[in-house]
Amino acid sequence: MTSRPKHLRTGLLWLFNGLFAFALLQPVGTQAQKAREVAKEPVKESSFGKGKATGPLLTRAQLRECMAQQERMRVLTEEAVALQTQFNAEKADLAQQGLVLKEELALLDRTNVQAVEQYNAKAASRDKAIDVFEAGTEGYNKRVKRLTMEREIFVSGCENRRYDEKDEIAIQQGK
């Protein structure tokens, strides 16, 4: 048996190691190929709002912020509607009290001091209720202003912007 020269043995060793490394890297190459195929998969788009979606796709972080803004607007709207319903009921009650007081004033015996004092007490009570009502409307107006500002921010940054539905699903799943 003849011995092979050292440089030939070294070359065969390098060739064998190269083929072995190539064989090991094949599965990784296949995974990378699958990742490229997934990346080529068409994006299922959706958008906020009813108009035509424009601009680049929102990133997942931008989409997360838009979804948070949308939720804040939903909560603020529900609170505003509940307060408005409450204020409408209070306003109707105050208006009814005013009508009753007006009728009582027309029938009031002004010579009866006790009847006049009772009427004045009712009128003062209604005036205090009106003051409380007006103080509450200031808070309501601040909430409506905050809701309007949230809407403006949402419209400028999110309304009619495209996003990938996969990102929306991932965010809803907590990713």
Side-chain angles (χ1 to χ4, degrees):
M1 200 173 221
T2 60
S3 81
R4 295 192 174 117
K6 187 176 181 180
H7 70 281
L8 188 56
R9 278 186 282 161
T10 305
L12 287 173
L13 186 61
W14 278 102
L15 178 65
F16 176 74
N17 285 339
L19 289 174
F20 184 71
F22 181 74
L24 286 177
L25 292 177
Q26 275 302 12
V28 173
T30 306
Q31 289 174 349
Q33 186 178 11
K34 286 181 183 176
R36 282 192 296 269
E37 289 173 6
V38 169
K40 289 180 185 177
E41 198 174 290
V43 175
K44 292 184 180 180
E45 293 181 9
S46 192
S47 68
F48 292 104
K50 297 177 182 173
K52 182 172 171 65
T54 59
L57 285 175
L58 292 171
T59 64
R60 191 174 286 187
Q62 290 170 326
L63 178 60
R64 184 176 283 115
E65 181 59 31
C66 286
M67 291 172 72
Q69 284 177 336
Q70 191 175 40
E71 179 62 19
R72 281 193 301 270
M73 284 189 330
R74 185 191 64 75
V75 169
L76 288 172
T77 301
E78 287 177 0
E79 290 174 356
V81 167
L83 280 174
Q84 185 178 25
T85 303
Q86 177 186 347
F87 283 136
N88 287 341
E90 288 178 23
K91 186 176 179 180
D93 185 46
L94 289 172
Q96 181 61 33
Q97 288 176 11
L99 291 174
V100 169
L101 284 173
K102 190 175 183 180
E103 290 174 3
E104 286 181 12
L105 181 60
L107 301 174
L108 181 65
D109 179 11
R110 289 175 173 65
T111 59
N112 185 344
V113 176
Q114 187 178 3
V116 171
E117 287 176 358
Q118 286 177 347
Y119 175 82
N120 287 339
K122 288 179 186 178
S125 174
R126 179 175 179 266
D127 289 343
K128 286 180 186 177
I130 289 173
D131 291 341
V132 169
F133 175 79
E134 288 175 349
T137 58
E138 290 176 22
Y140 171 76
N141 290 337
K142 286 179 183 178
R143 285 179 184 233
V144 169
K145 186 174 182 176
R146 180 174 169 216
L147 174 61
T148 303
M149 288 175 26
E150 280 287 332
R151 270 202 186 113
E152 288 172 0
I153 291 169
F154 181 80
V155 166
S156 68
C158 303
E159 188 81 17
N160 298 327
R161 290 283 310 272
R162 301 177 311 139
Y163 62 87
D164 188 349
E165 288 181 1
K166 291 178 187 174
D167 288 340
E168 179 184 27
I169 292 167
I171 291 169
Q172 290 170 345
Q173 293 175 345
K175 295 180 182 177

